[in-house]
């Protein structure tokens, strides 16, 4: 079993990362995905319709599938989007830099998108 950590800073990369994470999870690996900056938008309940229109992806379905498979999803607690009223999808945790670093140090791979 490998530990994969993804760091998503661009919302348009989120569908790809989610699909990759789900493949790795199905192979028995541990997967954690952190969202920051523009990437955090995909964790907003209101954003899923926008990405579906622009990328043809059902983000709600990807998020539900990821969470139900045991993928840990984190939104950066320091992200300015939270202050602007980001409405987190149920099951997503807020985490800071220390949490990210603790998990990243124990990972087999850390990938940034």
């Amino acid at each position: 079993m490998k530990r994969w950590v993804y760091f998503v800073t661009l919302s348009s990369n989120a569908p790809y990362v989610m699909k990759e994470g789900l493949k790795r999870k199905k192979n028995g690996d541990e997967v954690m995905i952190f969202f920051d900056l523009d990437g955090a938008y995909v964790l907003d309940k209101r954003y899923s319709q926008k990405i579906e229109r622009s990328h043809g992806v059902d983000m709600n379905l990807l998020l539900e599938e990821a969470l139900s498979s045991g993928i840990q999803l984190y939104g950066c607690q320091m992200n300015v989007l939270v202050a602007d009223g980001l409405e987190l999808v149920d099951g997503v945790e807020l985490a800071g830099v220390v949490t990210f670093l603790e998990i990243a140090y124990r990972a087999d791979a850390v990938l940034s998108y």
Side-chain angles (χ1 to χ4, degrees):
M1 177 175 82
K2 290 189 177 184
R3 299 181 80 184
W4 297 87
V5 176
Y6 295 90
F7 190 77
V8 181
T9 59
L10 188 60
S11 60
S12 60
N13 289 335
Y16 169 76
V17 172
M18 299 292 288
K19 290 175 185 178
E20 269 302 303
L22 284 164
K23 285 179 194 175
R24 295 199 188 279
K25 189 66 177 174
K26 288 177 184 172
N27 288 335
D29 292 339
E30 188 175 356
V31 178
M32 289 136 291
I33 306 174
F34 286 81
F35 297 86
D36 196 10
L37 304 170
D38 176 69
Y41 276 116
V42 301
L43 301 178
D44 190 323
K45 294 176 181 178
R46 301 162 295 182
Y47 185 78
S48 62
Q49 294 171 348
K50 181 178 178 183
I51 202 164
E52 187 173 340
R53 285 192 307 269
S54 62
H55 288 78
V57 172
D58 186 341
M59 269 316 286
N60 282 333
L61 183 61
L62 281 175
L63 290 167
E64 285 177 26
E65 190 175 349
L67 288 166
S68 67
S69 73
I71 292 177
Q72 294 171 296
L73 303 178
Y74 299 93
C76 180
Q77 70 185 22
M78 297 300 292
N79 194 306
V80 294
L81 299 174
V82 173
D84 290 339
L86 182 74
E87 294 178 28
L88 282 179
V89 171
D90 294 335
V92 174
E93 296 178 47
L94 288 179
V97 175
V98 173
T99 301
F100 171 75
L101 290 175
E102 286 175 351
I103 291 171
Y105 287 142
R106 293 181 279 139
D108 293 302
V110 178
L111 306 164
S112 180
Y113 291 86

